[in-house]
Amino acid sequence: MTDDLAIQLEDALATFAEVVLPLHIQRTYTYRIPLAFEKTVQPGMRVAVQFGAKKIYSGIIQTVHHRPPTGYEAKYILSFIDDAPILGPQQLKFWDWVASYYCAYLGDVMQLALPAALKLESETTVCLAEDFEELAVELDDREYLIIEALQLRKALRIQEIEAILQLKNTLPFLKSLVSKSAIVLKENLEEKYKEKKITCIRIAEQYKTEAAMQDVFTRLEKKEKQLAVWMCCFQLQQQMQHIPKKTILQKTGVSEASLQTMYKHGYLETYQLTIDRIQLESMPPQEFTLNEIQTVAFNNIEALFQIKDVVLLHGITSSGKTHVYVKLIEAQIKAGKQVLMLLPEIALTAQIIQRLKKYFGNTCMAFHSKFSDAERVEIWNKVNKKEVQLIIGARSALFLPFQDLGLVIVDEEHESSYKQQDPAPRYHARESAIVLAKMMGAKVILGSATPSVESYTNALNGKYGLVEMHQRFGEIPQPEMILANLAEEGRTKTLVGNYFSSTLVNAIQTALNNQEQIILFQNRRGYAPILECETCKWIPKCINCDISLTYHKYNQSLSCHYCGYQIQHPSNCHACNSSFLNLKGFGTEKLEDEIGILFPEARIARLDFDTTRTKHGHEKIIQDFEAHAADILIGTQMLSKGLDFEKVSLVGVVNADQLLFFPDFRAHERAFQLIAQVAGRAGRKHKQGKVIVQTANPTYPIIQYILNSDYKGLYAYDLLERKKFGYPPEKRIIKLSIKHKDLKIAKEASWQLKLQLGTLFKDQILGPEAPFVSKIRNYYIREILLKIDRDNKQLAYLKQGILFHIQQLNKHPHYKSVWVSIDVDPV
């Protein structure tokens, strides 16, 4: 038998795995499975594999087969990281769908889906060569520093060498030392997730009898500190299974030395106990009864689930949708199923999780980006082992390894924050949740007081079931909507300060007098969006982006909200040196100042991105306001998403016009949704609330729909406009963003790409045009919109065509550094 034939026969009998790598690459790679693991290998397991010359990554096995790769020789899998899969077949299938539908690479989906601590990448370490002789080679000063450091320590990481040399690029010196056979470079793969362990103390086995314990008491009678420790251990062992050392030290106030003496004499023993970073609280579940309207909604949903996979629950604010959710979750948990409840903002999870824990105790858990990497791994493992049945989280919770998903609830389904913007995959959690649920045989509830035009259209067309709740819980009437005409008050000089109508100011004072709470909504953070020179009209702009810098008073800085660039507030104009600089416009920070001047006795809190940067920042603000530690809460759109405050009687929309006149086909829909949602925070418990909408355009059609809470009127108006101009839901849209650091190349590449795509889309191409912000992080941007008929059967083919033409564009020498991002169904 020839060698080639033997190799072919060996390959035919071998087992291979398709491995997904956490890299921006288009495909999976085939690796050979060692013979010892052929019977135990399963899809969904993590493996360590070599990719490229030396680099080692942890990948996920997608499939196992007996087909050797073509074009390259399969490397062996180096090791198996897991004993069992961390992903089920449904999740892997879901990853494939996300990558395919949103025109992303599977590696991008893996990067997004897995917690960081589960994604491993080898780290380069530098070691001295075994046969290195210092006198045999010539070293320059920096090379000598590296060798000297390696003689003190066996291995150094690249970052440590950079610190020693005080240089960012140490590669030339490392290459030189490798060529002189002075050092070797090694790749080490280390598990990032470490179990949390605590040191516990127990009484030694030989001293657990009554006689032995009494003997120890006698021996320690004159040793006060050791006796205190012994008595504390004796008492605590009656109360708890494991006694943390920290507890002993706190209760007795003794030093570590006293404990060491006890160990030495053999009275006590120490051991390591593995504990969860996130402790599930044991709470007795509470019971409640749905009212008549909620019962009808619940029964209608259950009936529709017999014939529909998705039901849209259109319930006005404070109609009691959450109680309906609870009963639906309760039924699934009793059936042994898992439930996923998606929320649009992290700020919401704190309040909702506390409410749901009253009903479900320790069966529910939150999941969002504020958790540490280690905490996210522990939640991942609990879901994988089905130790928790209800997960409440932001969009990333969609990728958890559910084993038996029965129901997905997408609350506030209209929210744009369900859409991932950067990096790829730019998926929409609502649409993805529907696909995931179908794959797992689960049902979906989409809940909203102001549904998206797309979802409401699907419900009216019969694609989704539709259940509506038009009455507030407890029969409390909807808030009274009041228009404050800023143009008229400006003309009659009745404005208070720069931004408040007399109507709003009087209403705030009345609410404060009644010891009620107020919410003021302004959808712009910071103090002022523009600083302008009175003399020459100079405006400081970001050096990296095409946008003016926003002034933040709390740190006296001008900041870019796109790239983070920051400068201190200038004392003089940088163009003409004038000292007359004026702030224009206002954000939540300035609003806080102005309200503080008008109502000095009021306690004021602010809820925006700047005040919620810390892990529990949003929770503290919400809990304090809920406990009436503040009278007035000023905030951005974070305020609009499902928060429930008992004592809020007044909501003020400070600048409605800012929402209406934005260059986007969804501007009217979003303005209505935001104002309607924030208005719903008023009068939610015992009395009718009041909402004051300030505008300089009182006759604008959308303002009238808002004042009349007329969602169906807004829907009909907006749908007509979208049909006329061919926007969703009439057509699908794919947005291409072409980026380059050279404006000329960005323009040329965008036109070249449009010409290439013309054969596929013909007259269904808009652009290329500059977006509202045309330069971000030094990249100039041009956008192309592609419109596709809703019933087009060649959607997958068209997407493949887009990817092909982008690849062809990047093959051109002139455009190889052009970055093109694809956004399917942009919001």
Side-chain angles (χ1 to χ4, degrees):
M1 185 183 293
T2 64
D3 289 344
D4 287 347
L5 190 59
I7 292 169
Q8 288 174 14
L9 183 60
E10 187 181 347
D11 282 348
L13 296 172
T15 307
F16 299 91
E18 291 302 313
V19 177
V20 184
L21 295 168
L23 302 169
H24 183 66
I25 49 179
Q26 193 171 4
R27 49 179 284 190
T28 59
Y29 279 80
T30 308
Y31 286 85
R32 191 162 176 168
I33 299 170
L35 187 62
F37 294 97
E38 284 186 356
K39 292 182 180 178
T40 57
V41 66
Q42 295 179 62
M45 295 174 76
R46 284 184 306 157
V47 290
V49 294
Q50 183 181 333
F51 185 75
K54 292 183 178 179
K55 209 70 175 170
I56 300 169
Y57 294 93
S58 63
I60 293 279
I61 293 179
Q62 186 189 51
T63 56
V64 178
H65 56 80
H66 295 283
R67 301 181 306 276
T70 55
Y72 63 94
E73 186 180 343
K75 296 175 183 176
Y76 274 96
I77 289 172
L78 300 176
S79 65
F80 283 75
I81 300 170
D82 304 305
D83 297 326
I86 64 164
L87 285 169
Q90 295 97 334
Q91 279 82 32
L92 290 169
K93 185 180 177 185
F94 180 58
W95 284 17
D96 274 336
W97 178 85
V98 171
S100 172
Y101 185 82
Y102 290 103
C103 298
Y105 295 156
L106 203 50
D108 294 332
V109 180
M110 180 180 173
Q111 277 282 24
L112 172 83
L114 284 187
L118 292 178
K119 294 174 294 194
L120 311 181
E121 179 181 340
S122 64
E123 186 173 38
T124 305
T125 55
V126 181
C127 305
L128 274 178
E130 287 184 12
D131 54 352
F132 170 66
E133 293 181 14
E134 188 176 332
L135 299 176
V137 294
E138 288 187 18
L139 303 174
D140 68 20
D141 290 345
R142 288 193 170 114
E143 290 172 351
Y144 181 76
L145 278 175
I146 296 172
I147 296 299
E148 192 176 48
L150 287 170
Q151 286 170 340
L152 295 172
R153 291 174 59 183
K154 290 184 178 179
L156 290 171
R157 293 178 296 141
I158 299 294
Q159 295 93 319
E160 292 171 324
I161 292 174
E162 288 172 356
I164 291 166
L165 299 186
Q166 297 183 345
L167 289 173
K168 284 189 177 180
N169 183 18
T170 59
L171 192 59
F173 304 104
L174 295 177
K175 278 185 175 179
S176 173
L177 287 169
V178 168
S179 68
K180 294 172 183 177
S181 301
I183 62 170
V184 290
L185 304 180
K186 295 181 179 179
E187 294 291 325
N188 297 315
L189 191 71
E190 289 186 15
E191 184 76 72
K192 295 178 185 176
Y193 171 69
K194 299 283 191 296
E195 291 180 330
K196 185 177 181 180
K197 294 180 183 289
I198 59 169
T199 302
C200 291
I201 293 175
R202 63 188 168 210
I203 294 172
E205 194 65 35
Q206 64 266 35
Y207 293 109
K208 286 187 177 178
T209 65
E210 190 174 339
M213 280 190 178
Q214 190 58 48
D215 182 45
V216 175
F217 273 116
T218 304
R219 291 186 205 175
L220 299 179
E221 190 174 0
K222 294 182 179 180
K223 298 175 180 178
E224 186 181 337
K225 291 182 179 179
Q226 294 177 44
L227 182 61
V229 171
W230 182 255
M231 290 180 69
C232 187
C233 289
F234 178 73
Q235 290 167 357
L236 289 176
Q237 74 171 2
Q238 316 295 323
Q239 303 167 22
M240 55 181 71
Q241 185 180 356
H242 302 284
I243 306 170
K245 183 176 80 171
K246 186 178 178 181
T247 303
I248 297 287
L249 293 172
Q250 287 174 344
K251 283 186 174 290
T252 61
V254 302
S255 66
E256 182 77 31
S258 298
L259 290 181
Q260 292 294 336
T261 305
M262 300 287 280
Y263 307 149
K264 185 178 177 182
H265 288 102
Y267 302 143
L268 300 178
E269 297 173 344
T270 66
Y271 62 98
Q272 295 293 304
L273 177 69
T274 300
I275 63 166
D276 291 338
R277 289 173 173 84
I278 300 173
Q279 300 292 323
L280 292 174
E281 302 172 34
S282 182
M283 298 173 66
Q286 292 184 5
E287 294 292 330
F288 72 94
T289 305
L290 297 178
N291 67 16
E292 185 181 346
I293 293 170
Q294 291 169 328
T295 302
V296 170
F298 175 79
N299 291 336
N300 286 342
I301 290 168
E302 291 280 82
L304 282 166
F305 274 159
Q306 302 302 311
I307 54 173
K308 303 285 184 185
D309 291 330
V310 184
V311 173
L312 174 64
L313 178 58
H314 177 200
I316 62 170
T317 53
S318 200
S319 59
K321 293 189 293 294
T322 303
H323 280 168
V324 177
Y325 296 157
V326 168
K327 285 298 180 184
L328 291 165
I329 294 167
E330 196 175 74
Q332 293 294 324
I333 288 177
K334 282 180 180 176
K337 299 279 189 178
Q338 290 176 305
V339 178
L340 170 62
M341 183 173 183
L342 291 177
L343 299 170
E345 288 282 355
I346 294 170
L348 273 179
T349 56
Q351 194 179 49
I352 295 290
I353 193 90
Q354 290 305 317
R355 290 170 66 184
L356 292 183
K357 272 188 176 179
K358 292 177 183 177
Y359 308 118
F360 302 110
N362 61 2
T363 61
C364 68
M365 184 174 278
F367 183 83
H368 51 68
S369 59
K370 292 274 181 168
F371 284 115
S372 69
D373 288 341
E375 287 171 334
R376 287 163 72 86
V377 171
E378 289 189 1
I379 298 169
W380 181 282
N381 291 336
K382 286 181 186 295
V383 174
N384 197 23
K385 295 172 185 175
K386 212 176 171 182
E387 291 177 13
V388 288
Q389 286 182 271
L390 171 59
I391 284 288
I392 304 157
R395 61 176 183 258
S396 58
L398 200 61
F399 294 94
L400 286 168
F402 295 99
Q403 296 300 303
D404 194 6
L405 193 61
L407 177 68
V408 180
I409 298 169
V410 185
D411 194 28
E412 312 292 1
E413 64 83 27
H414 63 276
E415 279 292 341
S416 59
S417 49
Y418 279 126
K419 175 73 172 178
Q420 164 91 356
Q421 299 298 338
D422 279 308
R426 295 170 182 85
Y427 71 102
H428 198 299
R430 179 190 64 215
E431 306 306 323
S432 301
I434 292 169
V435 173
L436 176 66
K438 188 171 183 179
M439 288 177 177
M440 302 192 78
K443 301 296 183 181
V444 180
I445 286 285
L446 306 178
S448 177
T450 53
S452 64
V453 171
E454 289 90 336
S455 292
Y456 200 63
T457 300
N458 284 333
L460 294 181
N461 291 345
K463 184 177 179 180
Y464 302 162
L466 177 62
V467 175
E468 299 187 289
M469 299 168 69
H470 295 302
Q471 191 171 320
R472 283 187 140 198
F473 185 78
E475 299 186 359
I476 297 169
Q478 288 205 64
E480 178 189 3
M481 304 291 290
I482 299 169
L483 180 71
N485 188 340
L486 293 177
E488 179 62 21
E489 291 217 14
R491 189 182 65 80
T492 58
K493 302 192 186 312
T494 54
L495 282 176
V496 181
N498 296 314
Y499 314 111
F500 305 105
S501 63
S502 58
T503 309
L504 180 58
V505 170
N506 293 336
I508 292 172
Q509 189 61 65
T510 302
L512 291 173
N513 293 342
N514 294 335
Q515 294 188 324
E516 295 166 342
Q517 289 178 294
I518 301 106
I519 285 177
L520 296 178
F521 171 65
Q522 166 64 7
N523 202 31
R524 175 177 279 152
R525 65 185 175 98
Y527 193 85
I530 293 173
L531 177 72
E532 184 180 75
C533 172
E534 277 188 20
T535 308
C536 70
K537 304 304 177 185
W538 169 78
I539 296 173
K541 290 195 170 187
C542 176
I543 60 170
N544 307 314
C545 310
D546 181 25
I547 194 167
S548 62
L549 297 174
T550 300
Y551 174 58
H552 289 262
K553 188 179 179 183
Y554 77 94
N555 61 358
Q556 294 290 308
S557 71
L558 293 169
S559 300
C560 173
H561 289 175
Y562 282 86
C563 72
Y565 172 74
Q566 192 175 89
I567 60 171
Q568 284 301 300
H569 186 294
S571 55
N572 296 84
C573 171
H574 288 185
C576 70
N577 208 34
S578 167
S579 59
F580 298 102
L581 303 176
N582 273 344
L583 293 168
K584 294 201 167 183
F586 65 99
T588 50
E589 206 179 348
K590 189 169 187 180
L591 209 58
E592 186 180 22
D593 265 10
E594 295 276 336
I595 287 293
I597 294 167
L598 292 174
F599 304 99
E601 77 287 357
R603 298 166 299 171
I604 303 167
R606 198 172 91 242
L607 184 69
D608 57 25
F609 182 79
D610 297 318
T611 60
T612 58
R613 290 177 187 272
T614 59
K615 183 174 181 178
H616 300 292
H618 57 284
E619 290 181 36
K620 187 174 185 328
I621 293 167
I622 290 166
Q623 286 169 4
D624 286 351
F625 192 65
E626 203 170 15
H628 208 159
D631 303 305
I632 302 174
L633 180 61
I634 298 167
T636 58
Q637 61 182 340
M638 285 183 179
L639 293 171
S640 68
K641 300 174 175 70
L643 298 173
D644 186 2
F645 301 115
E646 185 176 350
K647 295 179 182 177
V648 172
S649 66
L650 173 67
V651 167
V653 179
V654 181
N655 186 6
D657 297 337
Q658 177 198 347
L659 304 170
L660 294 173
F661 304 109
F662 193 78
D664 188 281
F665 73 91
R666 285 195 174 91
H668 292 162
E669 177 191 12
R670 288 215 184 106
F672 183 93
Q673 287 166 342
L674 269 173
I675 294 173
Q677 290 285 333
V678 79
R681 306 311 116 207
R684 296 175 65 85
K685 290 290 182 184
H686 306 299
K687 60 177 282 189
Q688 183 183 22
K690 187 182 289 185
V691 179
I692 296 174
V693 180
Q694 295 194 150
T695 176
N697 298 275
T699 59
Y700 199 68
I702 309 304
I703 293 292
Q704 297 308 310
Y705 292 131
I706 289 168
L707 292 176
N708 297 318
S709 300
D710 184 5
Y711 171 79
K712 291 184 178 178
L714 178 279
Y715 170 78
Y717 175 89
D718 221 26
L719 192 64
L720 197 64
E721 289 285 303
R722 296 194 193 187
K723 283 184 176 179
K724 182 178 177 182
F725 295 103
Y727 284 103
E730 181 70 12
K731 290 181 181 288
R732 297 180 189 273
I733 284 182
I734 297 176
K735 182 174 76 174
L736 306 180
S737 297
I738 300 91
K739 304 173 186 178
H740 198 272
K741 291 188 175 182
D742 186 311
L743 176 60
K744 184 182 177 184
I745 292 175
K747 286 180 177 179
E748 289 176 358
S750 62
W751 280 104
Q752 182 64 33
L753 185 57
K754 178 178 181 175
L755 288 172
Q756 291 176 4
L757 292 170
T759 54
L760 284 173
F761 293 92
K762 297 179 183 176
D763 59 343
Q764 296 297 298
I765 304 180
L766 293 181
E769 293 290 343
F772 186 67
V773 180
S774 62
K775 180 188 173 191
I776 297 176
R777 294 184 176 90
N778 287 318
Y779 280 89
Y780 293 94
I781 307 168
R782 289 296 179 269
E783 290 181 349
I784 295 173
L785 279 188
L786 306 172
K787 294 184 178 181
I788 304 170
D789 291 335
R790 183 63 59 174
D791 57 355
N792 193 312
K793 305 297 183 187
Q794 294 186 306
L795 183 62
Y797 167 76
L798 292 173
K799 288 177 181 176
Q800 287 300 316
I802 293 168
L803 288 169
F804 171 78
H805 286 300
I806 291 172
Q807 289 167 3
Q808 292 301 110
L809 180 77
N810 288 141
K811 284 180 181 178
H812 192 290
H814 197 52
Y815 305 128
K816 64 180 180 180
S817 56
V818 171
W819 182 263
V820 183
S821 63
I822 307 171
D823 191 356
V824 179
D825 302 333
V827 297

